[in-house]
Amino acid sequence: MDAALVGRDAVVERVWRALTAGTPVLLDGPSGIGKTALWRAVVAHAGRAGWRVLAAAPTEAETALPYAALADVLRPLADALPLLPAPQRAAAEMVLLTGEHDGAVDERAVGAATRTLLDAAVTDAPRVLLAVDDPQWLDPPSARALRFALRRLTRWPAVLATHRTGDSPAVPMPLGLDDDPTGRHRLLRADVPPLTPPDLHRVLAARLGGTLSRPLTERLARDADGNPLLAIELARAVLRLPRPPAHDEDLPVPSSLRLLLAGTLRALPGPGRDAVRLAALLTVPTPRDLAAAGVPAGALDAAEDAGLVVVTPNRIDFAHPRYAAAVRESIPPGARRRLHALLAGAVADPDEQARHLSRCTVAPDAAVAADLAAAAARQRLRGASALAADWYTRAAELTPPSAAADRNRRRLEAVQCRIDSGDYAAAGRAAEAAAGELTGAERGEALLLRALVAWCADELVTAVRVAEQALAAAGPDGDLAGRIHTHLTMFHDQPEPACRHARAAIARLSDHDEHRPLLTAALLLLFFHEVRAGGPASTELLDWALALEAGEPSFLAGSVPAIWWKSVDDHDRARARLHLMLDLAVARGDDPLRHEVLTHLGETELLAGRFAEAGTHIAAARDLGEQLGTGLVGESWLAGVLDAHRGRLARAGATAAGLRRDDDLGDAWSRRLHHQLTGLVALASGEWATAATAYGALAADLDESGIAEPLGQRFEPDWIEACVGAGDLDTAHAALDRLVRRHERLPRPWTTLGLARSRVLLAGATGADPGEALNALTRARAAVPETVLPLDRARCLLAAGRAYRRVRRRREARAALDAAVAEFDALGASAFADRARAELGRIGARTPAPTALTATEERVARLAARGQTNRLIADALYISPKTVEANLARVYRKLGIASRAELGAAMGRPPRDT
């Protein structure tokens, strides 16, 4: 998608729907919000859809050029000029500069010609769009002619204009759109909303290259009020700085605003200027705090009269958030320290007092450092991790050299807060710097934090390597060693070393409050990796861990119970656990945990067959992952699986290719996901040999890693299907034996259905009587509730239909395949629905009359009749725009129509006789 249209899908759809219904549309919004980009997108789409577009986009310099804009509008209608009455033709030729005429232009004739040409265009063409961008820059004669014509037209073209809001005085309504004497053209005013931080993140990445940290992007969105143009300019200014501004430092102030405020401040009396400066330095300025700082009553009157501030009994607000930043920037450093000291003695809030003390203190001060560190701890508990990181850093700077232990601890707390805020780049740099300067256990702490950053960014090999260095620095025993062992359990992909580290952690950690979260994590991870190694599920470890956490999931491995429950298809329990963790992550401001939970929720809903919910969670995880700077591995894999199920195979294939990491990185997890998604895409495309190869590579990787039970990868039934399709029955039987072992080790609904489906496929491939296998398949489906694994249940019907077809039991085959199609369609699993329909075609299933619409054609037609674009229809039905075009072509042929304009009426008619 064009970066200019990010986050604008809903507005574009609403505007297009209104225009196709004949409703004039005004795009409302302040300067820079993106009105022109939306206007251009809609105009371009109208042109591609075959509309006649009459457009003008004047600039401020063109307001002095008579009829410049009107010429742009009328130029596509120049062929109709010879049909105009002579006075109108002469006027139109003078506007278009196509004829030689003496004398002045007759404005009334121009208006009449405009009306006649627009009326003829609307009559002759099925769709006409009159589009004007920045109509405030229309030259007056053009504006008068267009307004004259619109007031007199009995049938309007579709009208689209932009309208700049927020100006003083207000920009008048363009083209007289609010003055329709007929009352037939009710105006739609479509607000162009501010961009959210995730959308703004994508815009900034596309425009400026690279990515900004999540905390910084949120600040840009806040200070720019979601205005993309202003945010881009602010981001450019930030990138020119030697370092990013801290969370409690101002973003750069535009020079124009700085100059404007400088004049206003100079005009204020001395007490008023000091009062404005004090208000700007307060986090939340109030009259009470200013009075406590000695500001006399009425000192802000002049600033309020100048439009700089708004004073109420309980607070003082600057007229614009950037005004406060501009005022702060204008204060000389010495005066600023003096004002901070004054405020430190006046404010009552301890956190605000500590902040001001830290700003007026230039030499190390143990008391100030301690107060600021305590304030940072309170902000961290409130979820303000980015601010806490800055305050811990400043507290470390103010800590005297004699208190080295306090200084180092505050420095490391700052790194942890940067990880919690999602600023991985800054956290990594700070952790590396600390590790290079500290020694002993403190160096081990710093290295552990650096390893945690690597793990959050999906750099798993780096995480293990650095954590092993941390263990060497910390020594073999003690609490720190136990913590590092717990983290290494999580970092390791192979079960054997993971279990070894988990047992070492449990031996070193007690169940006291200080160690309880880490001990809980170690128990959960030991349970998890023992299962992955092929051992029995030691649920007593799981129960012990859940009892220890007492309703407060561990920050380190709290998702393990949910992973376990979704692996055994207990989706409700997994969902409840994950939503609990999501609420905690949001409350704490813990973005890395929120990202992890959203990813697991996406997989849970995907397995449960709730594709819409899965798509929402996966998209949210990808948005957050992009902002955090993760490797986007797990969420990309899930997005690819969802695309493959929905029939978006090209996109899923591209995702699979992107998951293939360089083998030198040793990223076995990413490689396994690549193999599985590659196999699924090939299977859905009927490329049996490619799918079989990919699944074979996946099995080999798992064996090499010592993973007998990959809880999240249930691939053997698909591997068997691919091998059957490729004619490799030996490998298919070997894969069946592997699936049998997994089922015997841990029976689950998916293994029950997968075994039954695979045995039906193998029976058909070997020529054996499939009767017994089909009966077992029926029992397996009956044993698994409809709400559990609906996709797997539908795929069992597809396998049954194929088997019945091969033994010429057409009635049973048709019944199974019809049911499969219905279940696939209900899920939105287009790829499998198409395969089921293809099987129906092979058995000579009842086909609709040539003029009857198929289910897909009818859905496409009804959405098109409502005015939706091909792109919107494609997104709604999870098909490509080309498929939409092909379906519409068949619809037109069957209904005997030629265009979308006739579609609404045609869809209301009964089917034609055959």
Side-chain angles (χ1 to χ4, degrees), residues 498-854:
C499 289
R500 186 174 67 249
H501 284 295
R503 294 186 182 100
I506 293 168
R508 288 163 175 79
L509 298 172
S510 68
D511 61 357
H512 295 156
D513 289 345
E514 182 183 359
H515 296 157
R516 185 171 296 172
L518 287 165
L519 177 59
T520 300
L523 292 168
L524 290 173
L525 290 166
L526 179 59
F527 164 76
F528 175 67
H529 284 293
E530 284 184 345
V531 172
R532 293 178 77 229
S538 301
T539 53
E540 65 275 8
L541 288 173
L542 178 61
D543 294 340
W544 182 11
L546 292 174
L548 276 177
E549 73 177 25
E552 184 81 6
S554 166
F555 66 91
L556 197 59
S559 59
V560 166
I563 295 171
W564 166 249
W565 290 324
K566 71 184 174 185
S567 76
V568 296
D569 300 318
D570 191 347
H571 305 137
D572 291 340
R573 202 170 179 187
R575 188 181 296 118
R577 170 81 175 189
L578 291 169
H579 278 293
L580 168 64
M581 294 181 64
L582 184 61
D583 291 342
L584 291 172
V586 171
R588 296 170 181 163
D590 190 340
D591 286 331
L593 179 60
R594 186 158 68 95
H595 172 256
E596 178 189 358
V597 172
L598 285 169
T599 304
H600 285 302
L601 273 171
E603 184 178 16
T604 301
E605 302 299 8
L606 185 59
L607 293 172
R610 296 165 47 157
F611 287 1
E613 292 86 345
T616 298
H617 292 312
I618 294 166
R622 294 186 82 172
D623 281 346
L624 188 53
E626 286 177 356
Q627 296 172 68
L628 295 175
T630 71
L632 298 177
V633 176
E635 58 269 49
S636 295
W637 169 65
L638 290 172
V641 172
L642 183 57
D643 281 336
H645 290 341
R646 286 173 162 174
R648 298 172 173 177
L649 300 182
R651 196 158 79 176
T655 301
L659 288 172
R660 183 61 186 265
R661 297 280 186 94
D662 189 340
D663 286 342
D664 291 341
L665 295 176
D667 189 349
W669 176 55
S670 177
R671 189 168 59 246
R672 291 198 300 269
L673 297 182
H674 159 75
H675 289 321
Q676 185 171 7
L677 184 53
T678 299
L680 179 61
V681 173
L683 188 73
S685 305
E687 299 173 3
W688 312 113
T690 300
T693 299
Y695 288 128
L698 171 57
D701 271 1
L702 289 167
D703 292 343
E704 184 178 349
S705 297
I707 303 173
E709 181 49 62
L711 292 172
Q713 293 187 295
R714 37 183 80 183
F715 66 97
E716 286 88 352
D718 288 349
W719 187 15
I720 293 165
E721 183 175 350
C723 290
V724 168
D728 185 359
L729 299 187
D730 289 341
T731 303
H733 281 290
L736 180 65
D737 291 341
R738 185 186 188 101
L739 180 57
V740 168
R741 291 193 298 272
R742 289 188 71 175
H743 180 71
E744 291 174 345
R745 202 162 39 232
L746 187 61
R748 288 152 283 179
W750 81 262
T751 58
T752 299
L753 293 175
L755 276 173
R757 175 161 60 96
S758 300
R759 284 169 172 150
V760 167
L761 292 174
L762 276 169
T766 58
D769 181 359
E772 183 177 345
L774 285 166
N775 291 336
L777 183 67
T778 301
R779 292 193 298 272
R781 260 183 57 92
V784 176
E786 293 181 4
T787 56
V788 177
L789 301 177
L791 181 63
D792 292 53
R793 285 170 48 84
R795 291 185 68 183
C796 287
L797 289 174
L798 175 56
R802 292 175 61 187
Y804 282 128
R805 177 183 65 79
R806 287 178 175 173
V807 295
R808 301 185 181 279
R809 293 167 61 176
R810 294 188 175 185
R811 183 176 61 81
E812 292 96 331
R814 184 176 293 116
L817 293 170
D818 280 337
V821 168
E823 293 187 16
F824 287 136
D825 282 344
L827 290 169
S830 301
F832 292 108
D834 290 344
R835 290 175 60 187
R837 289 190 178 94
E839 288 292 334
L840 276 169
R842 293 189 183 98
I843 62 172
R846 293 182 299 272
T847 57
T851 55
L853 299 184
T854 66

Side-chain angles (χ1 to χ4, degrees), residues 54 195 217-218 255 357 423 620 747 786 802 837 877:
L54 312 175
L195 289 180
T217 301
E218 289 183 336
S255 57
L357 283 172
D423 193 351
E786 293 181 4
R802 292 175 61 187
R837 289 190 178 94
L877 300 182

